[in-house]
Amino acid sequence: MDLPRPPLPSFRSRLHEPRTAVVIGRWLGAALLVCFATGLYSHLLQDPPTWLRDHLPSRPADGYRVTQGLHVISGIAAIPLLGAKLWTVYPKLFEWPPIRSVLHALERLGIFLLVASMLLELFTGLLNTLQWYVWPFPFRQTHFWLAWIALGGLLLHVAAKGPEIAGHWRRVRPAPAGEGLAERRGFLAAIAASVVLVTVTTAGQSVPWLRRLDLFAPRRPDLGPQGLPVNRTAEAAGTSTVPADWRLTVQGPRPYRLSLDELLAMDQHEAELPIACVEGWSASARWRGVRIADLVARAGAPDTARLRITSLEVDGPYRVTEMEASYARDPLTLLALRVNGEVLHPEHGYPARVIAPNRPGVLQTKWVSRLEVL
Ligand SMILES: Nc1nc2c(c(=O)[nH]1)N[C@H]1C(S)=C(S)[C@@H](COP(=O)(O)O)O[C@H]1N2
Ligand SMILES: [Mo]
């Protein structure tokens, strides 16, 4: 049965041609794959499944800083690309007939899920970089599962459109002076320019040499006490005043407690390590303190031990964290007592904080009060 076509708009501009969609799709696909891979890596580091625990690498020391920087950079770059891609293909919304077959219906449903999950994913990610949690659902799990839905949708989409994509993959040479070609070039150049613009004005939150162009990122990584930003303030954590009788408690085969002076009397080591927040900013600092490995050995535990670290913090999602053995035995992993030549500022975890290489910022626990060998 042929439905009569209602008076729908028709689109003739080359900006809506498949070739344009394919060119933008390639850029968008590349950004999304980088974003997906680095995001997955971040989830695994932050919350490793049991089978992976013993294989998490504590090196390269700057690894997480780079991958999480890339995650946020590629996610932000994907926003104008997705906008451009949707604009290029939106005439498809006016296709007639709207459904040609069961397969066609499924394909359209798939595209709807893909677009919806992608928009939500980028939106929640962007708001997360602003630490603006306006939704009632947990960010991390939602962001994780939406990514899988979007990936599945993307793979189905690419498979369904495979022949068409392949047909338009290469530049079509025959009509160099063809009508609208200049228009298309201009459009692609404008998209490229907006991607570059949003990237260079936000990447400075994790790329030091772009720092001065960092106009729109929520953080300037060099602003804050002792030249470092603060995510969780001492006031919010209820740790502005540390009890005068503070002791570090270490539990293990041979448990013990140490005062700050006793910790300072132990071998002190230095490490230049970044805080790399999952929200995208990162900043390097020179830390000084006691090796976690020395504290573990002193408790009579082997270097295969995992640790549970507890903060003085009254309550908060990162009051208690766990540290895998590969980090605990790394000589760069410190219970830091000083940063950049000064005693830790209360905002940075006075009297003691964890700092370890290749590790998400959320796990660099501040105001440490207890280490437990697991
Ligand atoms: N006890 C405790 N430590 C914490 C947090 C927290 O909420 N509680 N936040 C973490 C997060 S999310 C980051 S990015 C870093 C930030 O460190 P800074 O405030 O010293 O820059 O500290 C981490 N340490
Ligand atoms: Mo963070």
Side-chain angles (χ1 to χ4, degrees):
M1 179 183 70
D2 262 354
L3 293 172
R5 190 177 195 279
L8 294 172
S10 60
F11 301 83
R12 274 181 302 272
S13 161
R14 303 197 75 165
L15 306 188
H16 299 300
E17 281 182 359
R19 164 71 187 163
T20 316
V22 168
V23 173
I24 302 172
R26 285 195 303 227
W27 297 347
L28 180 59
L32 292 176
L33 287 181
V34 170
C35 206
F36 181 86
T38 50
L40 186 61
Y41 179 68
S42 179
H43 276 271
L44 292 176
L45 280 197
Q46 198 181 331
D47 210 353
T50 323
W51 56 268
L52 198 65
R53 268 184 196 161
D54 299 327
H55 309 285
L56 290 184
S58 62
R59 301 295 175 93
D62 272 339
Y64 185 77
R65 174 180 210 185
V66 172
T67 62
Q68 196 61 9
L70 277 176
H71 183 70
V72 175
I73 288 171
S74 55
I76 289 178
I79 294 172
L81 289 174
L82 182 61
K85 169 91 179 169
L86 291 178
W87 185 80
T88 299
V89 298
Y90 91 92
K92 296 232 172 228
L93 286 174
F94 303 99
E95 241 176 12
W96 199 262
I99 290 170
R100 286 194 303 270
S101 64
V102 174
L103 205 64
H104 185 231
L106 284 177
E107 194 199 323
R108 297 201 86 180
L109 180 69
I111 288 185
F112 172 76
L113 286 179
L114 171 61
V115 172
S117 57
M118 209 79 101
L119 285 173
L120 250 182
E121 183 72 341
L122 292 178
F123 178 71
T124 52
L126 183 69
L127 288 205
N128 183 244
T129 68
L130 303 166
Q131 290 197 295
W132 190 13
Y133 302 99
V134 285
W135 44 74
F137 45 82
F139 167 75
R140 207 147 58 84
Q141 288 82 339
T142 312
H143 200 64
F144 181 78
W145 289 112
L146 274 175
W148 285 102
I149 296 172
L151 180 75
L154 184 62
L155 293 179
L156 284 179
H157 174 60
V158 170
K161 297 276 183 200
E164 200 177 347
I165 296 174
H168 295 282
W169 192 261
R170 294 169 149 276
R171 189 193 303 269
V172 262
R173 280 269 171 220
E179 227 180 289
L181 210 59
E183 195 191 6
R184 176 154 76 202
R185 290 219 180 99
F187 179 56
L188 293 177
I191 298 167
S194 42
V195 170
V196 170
L197 191 72
V198 295
T199 304
V200 298
T201 52
T202 51
Q205 60 181 326
S206 57
V207 183
W209 53 271
L210 284 175
R211 196 136 293 173
R212 298 187 50 200
L213 295 175
D214 180 4
L215 300 173
F216 296 121
R219 297 291 178 142
R220 273 286 305 262
D222 47 354
L223 295 186
Q226 300 174 326
L228 286 173
V230 177
N231 249 22
R232 178 93 167 145
T233 62
E235 193 190 352
T239 53
S240 303
T241 47
V242 172
D245 63 348
W246 177 88
R247 294 280 183 287
L248 175 75
T249 304
V250 183
Q251 297 204 310
R254 288 197 307 269
Y256 60 90
R257 303 183 79 202
L258 293 177
S259 69
L260 191 51
D261 285 338
E262 288 166 321
L263 278 169
L264 284 164
M266 289 179 66
D267 277 347
Q268 304 290 301
H269 297 270
E270 285 208 359
E272 173 87 33
L273 290 175
I275 298 264
C277 181
V278 296
E279 278 130 20
W281 63 268
S282 57
S284 194
R286 187 131 201 101
W287 308 90
R288 185 178 168 83
V290 180
R291 279 189 180 144
I292 297 271
D294 291 349
L295 294 168
V296 170
R298 185 171 172 147
D303 73 354
T304 49
R306 305 175 56 239
L307 301 179
R308 177 176 298 136
I309 298 156
T310 308
S311 168
L312 284 175
E313 189 173 350
V314 184
D315 122 78
Y318 307 112
R319 191 179 76 87
V320 180
T321 54
E322 289 186 3
M323 181 185 274
E324 312 310 325
S326 56
Y327 294 95
R329 65 169 165 261
D330 191 304
L332 289 182
T333 302
L334 302 179
L335 184 72
L337 308 171
R338 302 174 68 87
V339 63
N340 294 337
E342 293 172 23
V343 172
L344 281 182
H345 191 281
E347 299 291 11
H348 292 312
Y350 177 84
R353 87 170 299 166
V354 163
I355 187 81
N358 194 26
R359 207 153 191 257
V362 284
L363 301 179
Q364 312 279 33
T365 313
K366 307 198 268 192
W367 316 290
V368 172
S369 63
R370 172 201 291 263
L371 302 180
E372 243 172 289
V373 175
L374 296 176

